Amino acid sequence: MATFEAQVEGLTSLSIDGSSAPTQTELTQFLTDGAAEVINAMPRKLKFFCATEDTFTSAAVGSEPETLVSGEVLAVTRSDGTIEQPCREIPAKLRGRASDSADMNAATATDPVYYIYNGKINAIPTSGSCKYLEVNNPAVLFGASSIDNFPNEYEYLVPLYASVKSLQNALGAKAGNSDITTALTAINTEIDETLSIADSAATEIGLANAEVDKAYAEVALANTEVDKMAAEVVLANAEVDKAFAEVALSNAEADKATAEVTLANAEVDKMAAEVGLTNSTLDAALSSVGSSVDTANAAIATAAGRVNTAVALANTQFDSAVTANTAEDVELASSHVQAGQGFISEAQAAVSEAQAYVNEVSARVNQVSGESQLAQGYLGAASGYGNIAQGFLGTASGYSQAADKYAQTASGYVNTAQGYIATANGYGNVAQGFLGTANGYGNTAQGYIATANAYLQQIQTKLGIAQGYSNETQARLNVISTEYNWMEKQQAKLQADYDKGIQIMRGG
């Protein structure tokens, strides 16, 4: 017959040796435990197959002689000298009465008793040769193929029991697979290192946050300065608006001055026309005198030359005045008109001188007297036009002076605005300083964040390694799970077979 080890291996598909799960030593224990459980489940009649006879000599109460091995005694006898009398069992609490010959419960040689007390057996009366059948639990070795003092028809239950326990042991070993334990330890190691690196990353992020907070504080200071700068710009804009209003008023006055200069130019043009008529009249008068008045004519010619020269110079000044008026330089135009008036005065003086010569030769130049008077009229008209032009230019000068005042006021507003702008620029420079400091804090924070990112990359690497170990663990668990499921099912089948065998043995 096959050994119990071979039977268990056949039932469980396990390979059992000195270092397997279970080991051969553990299998021996399972077989021994199985034999004890089967014997314990046996009906009384079957237990006699498992009992052994031992002997002792009965002793006085308190000196119980025999220590029991198991908890079940099937039969006890005491020799009365002739035959072995069966002993009846009594409770240990009656042992005293049974040994008292005067007590109604006293034991006799033909009606002996036995009791079990403190793990020991004794019979009464004392000094008798006693025998007892004790159910003994046999030690069943893994290499054995049979059990002594055991009914053969139920011996198969012992390897069934051991197979169930062996599968339980193997299932427990699956949970403690060393490869999986190693992988899980490696995962824990990587995760522990990841946590340590995460702490370092958190530290760097904390430092970065501190720098960002500093940067925010600087930006807040910069914003305060920008707000001040904006306030100054608002004040500057208000001054510029005032300046624009004054410039508008100045332009209006300048436009009025230009209109007056235009009117003055028109009067100057009329005056020039009158001077031209004067020259034409004088030229006609000279032409009519004739050669008979050479002396007067020469004098008149000289005077006329002076007049022409003065008129030409006056025309030049008046033309310059027109040019200055066009350029809106009222003061320069006025100075040119005054210079022209001076030349006109010189021309009038020359005409007066010529008139003296004419008076001297009036008898000879009666025919040109009318022309001379007419020339005087033209010159008077020209002088009137000059005076009117001078009035217009004076009015234009007044308008120009008003425009200058408005322009000066506008310039004052602009200067005030420039002051506000300068103050605003100062605030802006301070804000730039704060922003520069904020950028410095930001750069420092970026450095901390870069370090934190490096730590995070290390974490990712270690998580990848941990994932690799996790994949390995999962693969092994899948294999173990398959084996575990089969063992559980096989254990359940063997347990059912064992339970069925026990029921049959009990007669159920």
Side-chain angles (χ1 to χ4, degrees), residues 207-208 210-216 218-219 432-448:
L207 293 173
E211 295 300 314
V212 170
D213 290 340
K214 293 178 183 178
Y216 276 132
E218 294 296 321
V219 170
Q432 286 296 328
F434 287 131
L435 290 176
T437 303
N439 286 333
Y441 289 132
N443 292 335
T444 303
Q446 287 296 329
Y448 288 130

Side-chain angles (χ1 to χ4, degrees), residues 257-333:
T258 300
E260 293 297 321
V261 169
T262 299
L263 294 174
N265 286 340
E267 295 302 317
V268 168
D269 289 340
K270 292 177 183 179
M271 183 177 67
E274 293 298 324
V275 170
L277 292 174
T278 299
N279 289 336
S280 297
T281 301
L282 291 175
D283 289 341
L286 290 173
S287 177
S288 65
V289 170
S291 58
S292 61
V293 287
D294 291 334
T295 302
N297 188 42
I300 290 171
T302 300
R306 292 177 181 173
V307 169
N308 288 336
T309 299
V311 169
L313 291 173
N315 283 335
T316 299
Q317 293 298 321
F318 292 144
D319 290 339
S320 296
V322 170
T323 300
N325 285 334
T326 302
E328 299 184 0
D329 193 342
V330 176
E331 293 180 356
L332 181 60

Side-chain angles (χ1 to χ4, degrees), residues 84-130:
E84 293 181 356
Q85 296 289 348
C87 295
R88 56 186 172 85
E89 185 179 10
I90 63 171
K93 65 183 180 179
L94 297 177
R95 65 189 185 278
R97 289 184 178 185
S99 63
D100 183 1
S101 59
D103 193 280
M104 63 179 295
N105 294 313
T108 65
T110 59
D111 184 25
V113 298
Y114 80 93
Y115 65 91
I116 297 172
Y117 179 73
N118 197 26
K120 294 181 179 182
I121 189 171
N122 190 24
I124 302 173
T126 63
S127 304
S129 178
C130 302

Side-chain angles (χ1 to χ4, degrees), residues 127-171:
S127 304
S129 178
C130 302
K131 295 180 181 179
Y132 69 98
L133 284 177
E134 181 181 18
V135 177
N136 294 314
N137 295 323
V140 185
L141 299 176
F142 71 88
S145 58
S146 64
I147 305 173
D148 295 335
N149 298 323
F150 200 91
N152 291 336
E153 66 270 29
Y154 299 114
E155 195 174 76
Y156 76 95
L157 292 173
V158 174
L160 270 177
Y161 176 92
S163 294
V164 171
K165 296 302 179 181
S166 294
L167 286 173
Q168 287 180 343
N169 184 284
L171 288 171

Side-chain angles (χ1 to χ4, degrees), residues 434-475:
F434 287 131
L435 290 176
T437 303
N439 286 333
Y441 289 132
N443 292 335
T444 303
Q446 287 296 329
Y448 288 130
I449 290 172
T451 303
N453 285 334
Y455 285 131
L456 292 177
Q457 290 175 358
Q458 291 182 32
I459 290 173
Q460 288 298 325
T461 300
K462 290 193 174 293
L463 287 177
I465 295 172
Q467 185 62 47
Y469 286 126
S470 178
N471 293 339
E472 177 188 352
T473 301
Q474 188 60 49

